[in-house]
Amino acid sequence: MEYYCRLGDGHLIKMTKEDMKNSIEAGTNDAAERGEIPALTDDEQEFLLDIMCNPQKNVSVEPGNEIVVTHDIGTIRIDGDQGNSGVGIPVSRLAGILIHERAFGTDTMELGHIDYSFKPVKPIIFQEQQTVERVNLLATILVLYGAMPNLGLYYYPDGPFNNPSERFQAGDVAGALEAQEKAAEHAHRDMVYIMKNLWDVGCEGVNFDTTAAAGDADFYATLMATEELKRDTGLVVEMGMAAENVIGIHGSIEYKGMRLAGLYPHEQVKVAEKAGVDVFGPVVNTNTSRDMAWNMARAVTFVKACVEASDIPIHVNMGMGVGGTPMFETPATDMVTRASKAMAEVAKVDGI
Amino acid sequence: MNIEIGGDSMGKEELLKAVEDALIKLDEGALMKACDDALAGGVEPLEIIEKALTNAMTTIGDLFEKGKMFLPQIMVAADIMKKATAKLEEKIPADQKPEKLGTYVIGTVEGDVHDIGKGVVATLLKVNGFDVYDVGRDTPLQNFVDKAKEVNADIVGASALMTTTMVGQKELIELLKKEGLTCKTMIGGAAPTARWAEKIGADAYAENATEAVEVAKKLVGAE
Amino acid sequence: MGMPIAHVMASGMQGIRAAGDLVARMQFAKRMRLKEAKEYVAKKLGVDVIELVDVEVMRNLREELDIGVVTSVPGAATGIEAKARIAELLGIPIAPVERLKSKLE
C-alpha cells in the first residue's frame, strides 16, 4: 500500500510505509550526526510514521496538546508581497493585525514594514511609531515589532562597509573580517535605536526575524542589541533564527566566551538566553529534493534537542520551507498540519 | 610501493592520506612535509594534487556545510593548498600541469539584492579550482551574458532568494540561448528548487554551497 | 491559509477565541514554558487547563471578565481596555497600558 507524501518543494508523491520508515530514520540520523544530538527514539519515529501515514488529509493534535501560535510578518502578507506568499488584499497593517487576531485565531501578532529589515526602518521611524500607537489602541493580543537584522544591508553597495564576499574572493581575509565587525556595530546601534523609539510609544516587544541570516556577525549584532534592550527597556524579545546552523562567515566572533559560528539550535538557544531573549525560534531548513518524511524527522530531531536544552519557551519557526514545512509559497495543509502535530507532540515545543 | 620514513614503512595510500589530513588540519608545515614524503615515496605529483589535495578540499567543504569549519578557514586551506600545488607543479612537465576546472560566472539576478549565499558559493568554487567571475547582485541579465562571452564561461550560475525574482533565472537561460551561448547553467537560492531548474531548462541545481561545488565539477566533467 | 490558519487549526490555542493570547503573554512576560503558562492562566481564570481551549467555556468567561471576546460586541472591552484588564488579571505589566496610565497620571 502506498501513502501520499510530498517532496520538500511541495510536489505530491506516494511512498510505501517501509519507504517512509526508512526516510524518517535517515532524517533523524542526519540531524543527530550533524548536531551531535540524540536521534528520535524508536517510539518517536513510530509516532511520526503514524502521523505521516494517517489517511486523513489534515491532522491535528489531541485535545490538551494545543500550543501557542505566534506569527511573524503576517500583516504584510495580506496586503502585499515582499518576496514570498503575499495575497494582495489591500488592507492596512492595523487591519491585517486585527484579521489575524479576530479571524485567524493567532495568539500574538507582529507589526512589520514591507521592506522587512531594521536598517530601512530608521529613516521612517516616526511612521512606525504612529502605527504602533494605533495598533496598541485596538489590538487585544500581544503585538511585537518585527524585522530582520540583515547585516547584508550594511555592506557595499547598500551600506558603508566592504562586502566580505568580495574581500574573500580577493584573498583579503583580514578585510572581510573587519567589514563584518564594523557592520555588526552599526546594525547593533540601529536595532537599539529603532526599538527604543518604539518602546517609548508603548511597543510591547521585538521579534528579531531570521537572525544570523548573514552569518555569525549578524547573530552577534542581534545578541548585543538584545542585551542592551533588555537592560534599558521592558521590551520582550523573540529571536527567530535563519538556519539550523550559524554560517561561519567570520568564524571567530564570540559572545560571552562562546564562538557563534557553527552553532546548532540546542546551542543557539543557550547563547540567546545569556543575552536575555524571552522566546526563541529555532529554524530547520527544508531540503527541497528530499521527501517530507525525511525533512520532518530531521526538523523534529533538531527542535526536540533545542526544547530539552532550553530554559525559555521555544516557538519553532514553521513558515515556508522551515520546520518541516514544504518550500512552497502556498504549502499544502496536509504537510503543514502534520508538521504542526509532530512539533507539538514529539518535539514538545512551547509554540509555533 | 613502500618507502621507509623515519624507520616506518608507508604505502602509497598512507602517504596520500597524510597529505590529505595535513590540509584538513590546515597545517602548512605538515602539508609540505607530507608532499615531500609522498614525492620521495614515488607518488606522482599530479596524483597527489588530484587525489589527496582535492579530496581534502571536498572534506573541508563538507565540514563547512556541517558547520565544523568556517569561511576564513576555507581561505587558509585554499592558500596553503595553492602553495602545495605550486611546489608539486614544479615536478610536472608543462604539458601535463593540471588546468583550472573551468570558468564560472556567478551572480544574483536583477531585482534581488541578496548575496550572502552567492558569495559563499563563489568563494568555495574559487578555492576548489574554478576561475570565478562574480557579477554581483541585482545584476541585469545582460551583464551575465556579456561576462560569459568575455571569459568564455563554462558555467553560468544564477542565484535568487525570492519567489518573485526567481523568474529572472528563467529569463537568463532564455537570454543565454538567444545569444547563442552553449555554456552550462546552474541555479540556486532559497526559493528555487530542483523541479524549478528542470522546468526552466537549467542544467543543474544545488541545494547549498558545498553541493554547488560538486555539481559544478560534474558539469565540467571533473568527476 | 497554508500557514497561520493551518497551524491554528492543527495545534493552536485559538487566541482570544479561547485563552491562547493569555498563555502567550505569560510565555513572553515571564518566560514560562507551555505547561507552566497554561497552569498559571488556568489558576488565574479559575478553570481547568483543558478548558483553556474550550471556546464555550472561555467565551462566557471572557465576557464575564470583560477581557475581550473575538466577536464584535458593543460595549465589550477591546484593545487597550481589554489589555488593561488582562494585565490586572494576570499580574503582569503590559507596555501600552502602563504608558497610558502614566500619561493620565
Side-chain angles (χ1 to χ4, degrees):
Chain A
M1 186 178 169
E2 289 186 315
Y3 298 85
Y4 283 113
C5 188
R6 289 182 189 270
L7 290 178
D9 64 0
H11 184 64
L12 190 68
I13 57 173
K14 284 185 181 175
M15 294 174 76
T16 63
K17 198 163 189 172
E18 190 62 27
D19 286 341
M20 290 252 214
K21 186 171 185 290
N22 292 337
S23 270
I24 288 170
E25 190 179 346
T28 189
N29 286 339
D30 186 81
E33 192 212 323
R34 283 168 188 270
E36 292 170 11
I37 52 178
L40 297 177
T41 64
D42 289 344
D43 285 347
E44 286 166 340
Q45 291 185 48
E46 196 65 35
F47 190 81
L48 267 191
L49 185 60
D50 287 341
I51 293 175
M52 295 305 295
C53 294
N54 189 310
Q56 305 294 319
K57 178 182 168 186
N58 296 326
V59 303
S60 75
V61 299
E62 289 183 8
N65 291 343
E66 294 86 354
I67 58 180
V68 166
V69 174
T70 55
H71 200 56
D72 59 18
I73 297 190
T75 181
I76 302 173
R77 287 207 189 110
I78 294 190
D79 177 18
D81 193 320
Q82 23 70 284
N84 51 12
S85 54
V87 295
I89 303 171
V91 297
S92 67
R93 291 187 286 168
L94 169 59
I97 286 170
L98 294 177
I99 287 168
H100 279 78
E101 174 182 296
R102 311 187 81 78
F104 294 175
T106 55
D107 300 310
T108 74
M109 254 310 282
E110 176 182 293
L111 175 69
H113 183 248
I114 189 67
D115 191 356
Y116 189 60
S117 301
F118 275 98
K119 187 166 173 279
V121 176
K122 206 171 174 186
I124 56 150
I125 187 63
F126 304 114
Q127 171 71 30
E128 297 307 86
Q129 284 179 308
Q130 290 168 58
T131 310
V132 163
E133 287 177 295
R134 287 189 205 108
V135 162
N136 277 336
L137 287 176
L138 284 179
T140 302
I141 59 177
L142 185 152
V143 178
L144 304 173
Y145 189 85
M148 303 188 293
N150 198 353
L151 206 66
L153 289 180
Y154 292 86
Y155 303 135
Y156 178 82
D158 293 306
F161 303 112
N162 281 326
N163 191 312
S165 296
E166 287 170 12
R167 292 290 87 217
F168 276 127
Q169 287 175 60
D172 178 16
V173 174
L177 301 188
E178 190 190 11
Q180 294 175 71
E181 289 157 13
K182 290 202 159 121
E185 277 174 30
H186 274 239
H188 163 198
R189 183 192 67 188
D190 285 350
M191 286 188 273
V192 167
Y193 174 86
I194 288 160
M195 289 317 305
K196 278 188 173 176
N197 270 283
L198 295 179
W199 164 252
D200 284 346
V201 295
C203 183
E204 291 201 61
V206 57
N207 176 31
F208 292 118
D209 200 354
T210 70
T211 301
D216 43 344
D218 185 307
F219 194 14
Y220 178 78
T222 314
L223 290 166
M224 293 300 292
T226 298
E227 194 182 299
E228 189 170 340
L229 291 169
K230 291 302 291 185
R231 186 188 68 218
D232 297 345
T233 72
L235 288 164
V236 296
V237 175
E238 174 156 29
M239 181 178 281
M241 302 302 287
E244 65 251 25
N245 187 252
V246 177
I247 311 175
I249 299 182
H250 187 287
S252 309
I253 284 191
E254 292 184 358
Y255 178 76
K256 296 196 171 172
M258 179 86 132
R259 183 170 61 189
L260 298 180
L263 295 184
Y264 279 93
H266 64 290
E267 298 161 319
Q268 295 161 9
V269 67
K270 302 315 286 181
V271 178
E273 283 174 13
K274 281 189 184 169
V277 166
D278 298 295
V279 173
F280 183 73
V283 157
V284 182
N285 298 111
T286 296
N287 185 311
T288 56
S289 305
R290 303 295 295 252
D291 59 80
M292 286 312 298
W294 184 90
N295 276 299
M296 223 173 282
R298 187 172 180 276
V300 169
T301 306
F302 275 124
V303 174
K304 181 175 168 250
C306 181
V307 168
E308 288 170 356
S310 177
D311 292 323
I312 58 177
I314 298 299
H315 286 193
V316 57
N317 276 268
M318 295 189 77
M320 184 173 80
V322 294
T325 305
M327 178 63 198
F328 193 68
E329 270 194 302
T330 51
T333 57
D334 49 32
M335 288 299 122
V336 174
T337 56
R338 276 163 175 73
S340 209
K341 181 177 169 75
M343 287 294 181
E345 294 183 333
V346 181
K348 307 255 195 292
V349 296
D350 302 282
I352 289 172
Chain B
M1 119 216 340
N2 288 340
I3 65 161
E4 292 275 336
I5 305 252
D8 294 324
S9 183
M10 287 179 78
K12 179 171 142 184
E13 292 309 315
E14 282 177 302
L15 290 166
L16 287 172
K17 186 81 172 49
V19 171
E20 197 177 323
D21 287 348
L23 179 51
I24 292 169
K25 287 178 184 151
L26 308 181
D27 188 337
E28 186 176 339
L31 178 60
M32 296 306 175
K33 182 178 179 310
C35 287
D36 286 338
D37 291 343
L39 287 169
V43 185
E44 291 297 325
L46 198 58
E47 201 176 356
I48 299 171
I49 294 171
E50 290 179 349
K51 286 194 176 167
L53 294 180
T54 304
N55 281 357
M57 287 309 291
T58 302
T59 302
I60 286 169
D62 283 340
L63 289 170
F64 172 76
E65 201 262 318
K66 288 177 178 159
K68 306 296 182 199
M69 283 184 93
F70 315 117
L71 216 49
Q73 292 168 306
I74 307 289
M75 302 310 299
V76 168
D79 189 49
I80 60 177
M81 177 175 163
K82 197 170 158 185
K83 289 175 183 168
T85 304
K87 178 193 180 80
L88 292 166
E89 282 186 347
E90 285 171 8
K91 314 282 183 194
I92 302 175
D95 62 339
Q96 290 175 34
K97 284 194 199 304
E99 293 174 1
K100 282 281 178 188
L101 288 183
T103 304
Y104 198 116
V105 170
I106 190 171
T108 306
V109 298
E110 189 166 19
D112 197 320
V113 298
H114 299 94
D115 77 343
I116 300 288
K118 182 265 294 172
V120 172
V121 170
T123 303
L124 288 188
L125 285 168
K126 191 166 181 178
V127 304
N128 275 275
F130 283 89
D131 268 334
V132 178
Y133 295 88
D134 188 341
V135 294
R137 37 77 167 263
D138 185 22
T139 304
L141 303 182
Q142 191 61 46
N143 289 17
F144 282 85
V145 175
D146 292 345
K147 182 57 81 177
K149 282 181 182 171
E150 180 194 327
V151 302
N152 197 20
D154 296 294
I155 306 174
V156 171
S159 173
L161 197 87
M162 303 186 294
T163 51
T164 43
T165 54
M166 59 195 242
V167 68
Q169 294 171 328
K170 176 172 183 275
E171 289 167 359
L172 173 61
I173 289 168
E174 287 167 357
L175 188 58
L176 286 165
K177 279 195 182 121
K178 187 178 163 201
E179 300 239 355
L181 276 84
T182 56
C183 53
K184 301 287 188 188
T185 52
M186 239 173 96
I187 63 164
T193 62
R195 285 162 44 73
W196 168 247
E198 201 179 336
K199 185 175 174 182
I200 65 174
D203 292 295
Y205 161 82
E207 192 80 35
N208 56 50
T210 309
E211 195 177 301
V213 172
E214 298 315 307
V215 168
K217 284 181 182 176
K218 282 184 183 138
L219 283 182
V220 296
E223 58 177 56
Chain C
M1 187 176 149
M3 284 177 279
I5 294 176
H7 283 307
V8 172
M9 293 301 290
S11 58
M13 292 191 71
Q14 305 172 73
I16 65 171
R17 209 164 175 262
D21 61 316
L22 307 178
V23 173
R25 282 195 178 279
M26 295 318 299
Q27 290 190 327
F28 278 93
K30 299 290 182 190
R31 298 182 186 160
M32 288 185 183
R33 305 303 292 269
L34 184 67
K35 183 172 180 287
E36 186 190 358
K38 282 183 176 179
E39 285 168 356
Y40 182 92
V41 172
K43 191 172 174 185
K44 289 289 184 184
L45 293 174
V47 300
D48 292 331
V49 167
I50 194 75
E51 291 177 308
L52 291 176
V53 292
D54 186 326
V55 293
E56 193 264 336
V57 167
M58 288 309 308
R59 172 54 191 254
N60 289 328
L61 191 53
R62 289 189 83 116
E63 267 190 10
E64 195 182 302
L65 295 172
D66 205 16
I67 54 171
V69 293
V70 76
T71 54
S72 185
V73 177
T78 188
I80 194 79
E81 186 190 343
K83 285 200 280 253
R85 293 182 187 287
I86 289 168
E88 198 175 339
L89 171 74
L90 297 180
I92 54 170
I94 293 182
V97 173
E98 294 301 303
R99 182 167 174 268
L100 177 61
K101 280 194 223 170
S102 71
K103 287 192 89 179
L104 293 175
E105 282 158 14

